[in-house]
């Protein structure tokens, strides 16, 4: 299943400063992933930073960045692995 244009709140010091829209959220019974699509001649560092921001702020674990402008097709897989405290809870940075 999937849904498009999911809003992810971007927070600073616990205050929502803006919301950003990820292109697609794809999920099955056990997991979700973000799918961000581009149509550029190359994937730029800003595109990777955008996906990492979505992963961290949205609490997601996996993002596929797909660029249809590259030949062959440009694909980057980004994984967010939050650090956990001693009791197994995610630490907020």
């Amino acid at each position: 299943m999937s849904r498009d244009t999911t809003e992810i709140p971007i927070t600073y010091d616990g205050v929502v400063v803006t919301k950003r829209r990820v292109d697609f959220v794809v999920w099955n019974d056990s997991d979700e992933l973000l799918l961000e699509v581009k149509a550029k001649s190359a994937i730029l560092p800003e595109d990777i930073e955008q996906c990492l921001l979505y992963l961290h702020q949205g609490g997601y674990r996996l993002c596929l960045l797909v660029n249809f402008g590259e030949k062959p097709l440009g694909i980057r897989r980004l994984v967010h692995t939050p650090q956990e405290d001693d009791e197994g809870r995610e630490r907020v940075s």
Side-chain angles (χ1 to χ4, degrees):
M1 295 186 176
S2 70
R3 62 182 175 268
D4 58 351
T5 62
T6 297
E7 286 190 341
I8 296 176
I10 307 301
T11 60
Y12 180 77
D13 281 341
V15 177
V16 175
V17 293
T18 189
K19 292 182 182 180
R20 300 293 172 125
R21 291 187 179 161
V22 65
D23 291 333
F24 297 95
V25 178
V26 182
W27 73 92
N28 62 17
D29 293 335
S30 62
D31 211 357
E32 293 182 318
L33 72 84
L34 303 179
L35 174 61
E36 189 67 21
V37 295
K38 303 291 181 188
K40 301 178 175 184
S41 60
I43 292 175
L44 302 175
E46 300 88 54
D47 301 324
I48 294 170
E49 290 174 19
Q50 176 186 19
C51 289
L52 293 173
L53 178 70
Y54 291 168
L55 288 173
H56 185 263
Q57 293 284 314
Y60 295 95
R61 187 179 158 279
L62 182 62
C63 179
L64 292 179
L65 173 58
V66 180
N67 185 16
F68 290 96
E70 289 184 62
K71 304 294 183 226
L73 187 68
I75 301 174
R76 299 281 174 94
R77 180 178 182 263
L78 302 154
V79 178
H80 173 60
T81 308
Q83 294 180 347
E84 295 181 350
D85 63 14
D86 294 335
E87 297 177 10
R89 295 179 300 222
E90 181 180 338
R91 282 193 281 181
V92 178
S93 49

